[in-house]
Amino acid sequence: MTRSTFRLAAVLCATGLLAGATVSQAYARPGEGSEHGPRRAAAQHVLLISVDGLHQSDLARYVAQHPASALARLVGNGVQYTDARATTPSDSFPGMVAQATGGSPGTTGVYYDDTYDAALLPAGTTDCRGAKPGVEVDLTEDLDRDKSALDAGQGLSGLPGSILSLTGRAADLLDPTKLPVDPRTCEPVYPHSYLQVNTIFEVAREAGLRTAWSDKHAAYDILNGPSGKGIQDLFAPEINSDAIGYPAGDDWTKDNQATEQYDGYKVQAVLNEIDGYDHSRSHRVGTPAIFGLNLQSVSTAQKLPDSDGLKGGYAAKDVPGPLLAKNLDFVDARIGELTAELRKQHLDRSTTVILSAKHGQSPDDPAALTRIDDAPILAGLNAAWKQLHPQAGDLVVHAVDDDAMLLWLSDRSQAAADFARTYLLAQSGTGTDIDKQPKPFTTGGLAKVYAGAAAADYFGVRAGDSRVPDVFGVAQYGVVYTGGTKKIAEHGGTAADDQAVPLVVSGAGTPDGVRRSAPVQTKQIAPTILSLLGLDPQALQAVRKEHTNVLPVR
């Protein structure tokens, strides 16, 4: 069954473009090619919601147990893709960038929220002549003017209650002295300039449409795209700042109740935007064509062993424990608020809601957990390298290990990468299980290691690419690299628990109650959003390069 618009009423009652690309404002309906001729837009607005950490299995279980919920009605009145996969690595930045560009890390150049570039110069470089390239590219709270402040250093009084007065120009909250430097211009590289391809926000802006987004760091300036102008209203309160009203030293992720409070600020920002205001409700600007937010409370409920007197994570394979169950209710209620507001503003018939996640979380089976301290492993690798090469420094210049292992090496030769691979796979030791009891591990906790040219090929780039990791280790299922016992899950890897995320397209331009079991990828969200709005998906550079398809909505 197909129709040009769909009413969200059932759900609601329950609760810059880069030069050379051309935009068509009369494209095709989702799932149709341009050979069908010009069509009017199926939607005037697309609301994208990312529930970080959420699995398809979590959504399916919740919907089955709560058939009258906002989530159940969203699923039942739209198209659900039951075999959707997030990016590899399954981290927040490549995951969100994929949804906004249609591209994978090899195309976007974004592999993680904390990565490395062998071609850029260290932050603070002022004399670029002869400066040695190679620098960490940090896309976290460390770039903020003040990472301890919820407003990232804007200087608002009355926090946290005044946080909606945060600027919508997130780039202004970044400290340029902390940014890597481009050797060609000797100027700081902002996150938006680091991105190698354009975004849906830039395409929409070129077409004269309004854009907004809400996320967890000011470094989500990256979603503005290379023009730096894609998002007109980017609300990015700092999630890793000191959580006001909670124990000293805790950020908003250390207590799940704090994470819910933090998520509430972003929900309110989007409610204001639905009502036709900017996120602060200070200026009436009209409801954006593309807008949305990420929610973090499910992710912290999956990762924390306990919080607020409730046990975190999963009780058994795919069975949420009490803290996670509470957070699924929280997410359902927030989605209910958003969809109810759409109905109140008579936007339900012209808005498509897309529900997905930047990444999943692994493991969702507590019995599988093996926590491994990666610090001794990497220290041993560096020591072994220097023993063979007495004049050399550390082999590993940057590492990111959550439930995968990404290494960038000082020696980028194939021989050095192979040395690292051999060493890692020879390591064994003892980690801890879900009950903090000793648990042995072998092969460094890794199932497979791609080294040098094999790593570059895995990500679809040439060997020697300045951004690709020299070593990419696929962790054994259940392995989490951490030096303590404060985490019971993580993301970043290739396990199904990392990547099997929900994907639902519901509202304007969709049929009722359709389940599609064919494999799809979250990067297909980007061209689908443009198609829903009557814009040309081919305006996205990554879509053209990777031949990323619009999701089959019909």
Side-chain angles (χ1 to χ4, degrees):
M1 184 177 95
T2 181
R3 52 186 169 177
S4 59
T5 61
F6 166 74
R7 300 181 182 181
L8 272 173
V11 181
L12 307 170
C13 290
T15 33
L17 180 65
L18 296 185
T22 302
V23 176
S24 168
Q25 294 192 59
Y27 189 60
R29 288 176 182 158
E32 295 180 349
S34 58
E35 69 272 15
H36 291 280
R39 301 292 182 98
R40 69 181 179 85
Q44 295 178 30
H45 313 278
V46 177
L47 173 60
L48 175 58
I49 303 169
S50 174
V51 183
D52 293 5
L54 190 66
H55 302 109
Q56 169 59 23
S57 58
D58 297 326
L59 178 64
R61 182 183 181 88
Y62 191 89
V63 165
Q65 293 182 344
H66 303 83
S69 64
L71 284 169
R73 293 178 186 272
L74 196 70
V75 168
N77 293 306
V79 183
Q80 179 182 199
Y81 305 86
T82 59
D83 190 11
R85 290 292 185 270
T87 57
T88 299
S90 54
D91 178 60
S92 297
F93 264 80
M96 190 63 237
V97 165
Q99 294 183 32
T101 66
S104 306
T107 295
T108 64
V110 180
Y111 290 88
Y112 227 83
D113 65 357
D114 185 14
T115 180
Y116 190 86
D117 194 317
L120 297 179
L121 303 179
T125 301
T126 56
D127 184 358
C128 295
R129 294 170 297 178
K132 183 179 178 181
V135 63
E136 176 184 4
V137 179
D138 192 339
L139 298 170
T140 69
E141 69 277 7
D142 291 332
L143 294 185
D144 296 349
R145 293 182 180 274
D146 180 358
K147 67 180 181 181
S148 70
L150 182 61
D151 66 1
Q154 181 174 329
L156 295 174
S157 60
L159 290 171
S162 63
I163 191 57
L164 288 172
S165 296
L166 186 69
T167 178
R169 292 177 51 85
D172 293 346
L173 302 173
L174 301 175
D175 184 346
T177 67
K178 299 176 181 178
L179 299 172
V181 173
D182 186 338
R184 298 168 299 177
T185 63
C186 216
E187 294 292 331
V189 178
Y190 278 80
H192 68 260
S193 340
Y194 191 68
L195 184 59
Q196 295 182 156
V197 293
N198 64 335
T199 73
I200 55 174
F201 300 104
E202 290 177 295
V203 176
R205 289 295 300 126
E206 180 70 12
L209 302 179
R210 183 164 180 82
T211 58
W213 185 253
S214 298
D215 223 303
K216 60 184 180 177
H217 302 303
Y220 275 91
D221 163 65
I222 199 168
L223 299 179
N224 273 306
S227 71
K229 300 177 180 179
I231 304 177
Q232 292 168 285
D233 189 1
L234 177 53
F235 177 62
E238 179 52 64
I239 193 171
N240 291 122
S241 63
D242 294 342
I244 301 167
Y246 295 87
D250 281 2
D251 66 31
W252 299 90
T253 70
K254 298 299 190 293
D255 184 301
N256 190 248
Q257 183 177 335
T259 313
E260 290 183 351
Q261 180 179 335
Y262 169 86
D263 278 348
Y265 300 135
K266 290 182 292 184
V267 171
Q268 186 58 55
V270 175
L271 289 171
N272 291 340
E273 291 161 358
I274 291 172
D275 290 350
Y277 293 90
D278 65 358
H279 78 266
S280 68
R281 208 176 183 86
S282 299
H283 306 284
R284 185 174 284 279
V285 292
T287 303
I290 302 175
F291 65 131
L293 75 165
N294 89 303
L295 297 172
Q296 284 290 122
S297 60
V298 163
S299 181
T300 60
Q302 293 167 324
K303 294 166 73 171
L304 293 171
D306 57 77
S307 186
D308 309 314
L310 297 174
K311 188 173 182 180
Y314 292 82
K317 175 65 176 173
D318 293 334
V319 180
L323 184 64
L324 181 54
K326 178 178 79 77
N327 274 268
L328 293 173
D329 288 338
F330 172 83
V331 166
D332 182 71
R334 302 294 79 74
I335 289 175
E337 289 178 10
L338 293 169
T339 51
E341 197 67 18
L342 287 171
R343 180 173 184 270
K344 179 181 176 181
Q345 297 298 330
H346 308 291
L347 296 174
D348 50 306
R349 301 183 187 215
S350 60
T351 302
T352 306
V353 178
I354 298 180
L355 173 70
S356 192
K358 299 175 184 176
H359 57 78
Q361 211 89 259
S362 183
D364 66 4
D365 179 357
L369 178 64
T370 306
R371 285 176 288 223
I372 299 174
D373 187 353
D374 57 315
I377 296 175
L378 297 180
L381 171 57
N382 284 329
W385 177 255
K386 287 188 282 189
Q387 185 174 8
L388 289 178
H389 305 83
Q391 304 304 314
D394 287 345
L395 179 59
V396 179
V397 293
H398 190 66
V400 178
D401 311 326
D402 287 324
D403 71 338
M405 188 172 284
L406 287 75
L407 306 181
W408 287 264
L409 308 180
S410 57
D411 182 336
R412 305 202 73 202
S413 68
Q414 186 64 46
D418 288 340
F419 177 88
R421 177 183 182 275
T422 300
Y423 181 89
L424 293 171
L425 291 174
Q427 302 311 300
S428 59
T430 303
T432 59
D433 67 8
I434 187 69
D435 297 316
K436 304 181 183 180
Q437 297 303 304
K439 187 174 183 180
F441 67 86
T442 59
T443 62
L446 299 166
K448 190 168 186 177
V449 177
Y450 296 89
D457 184 65
Y458 183 91
F459 290 108
V461 299
R462 61 173 178 79
D465 178 272
S466 68
R467 301 185 183 192
V468 72
D470 296 294
V471 176
F472 178 61
V474 176
Q476 298 166 18
Y477 178 64
V479 165
V480 171
Y481 292 105
T482 178
T485 57
K486 294 183 179 180
K487 288 183 183 178
I488 57 175
E490 256 298 354
H491 54 268
T494 63
D497 294 356
D498 288 310
Q499 296 190 317
V501 297
L503 180 48
V504 179
V505 181
S506 183
T510 72
D512 294 355
V514 173
R515 289 171 58 92
R516 292 191 176 272
S517 59
V520 295
Q521 296 174 287
T522 53
K523 68 180 182 179
Q524 292 177 254
I525 290 172
T528 302
I529 288 175
L530 294 188
S531 184
L532 284 162
L533 294 171
L535 305 178
D536 187 355
Q538 294 299 310
L540 289 170
Q541 295 165 324
V543 165
R544 298 199 302 270
K545 181 175 180 179
E546 297 190 16
H547 307 288
T548 309
N549 293 323
V550 173
L551 289 167
V553 173
R554 295 184 65 191

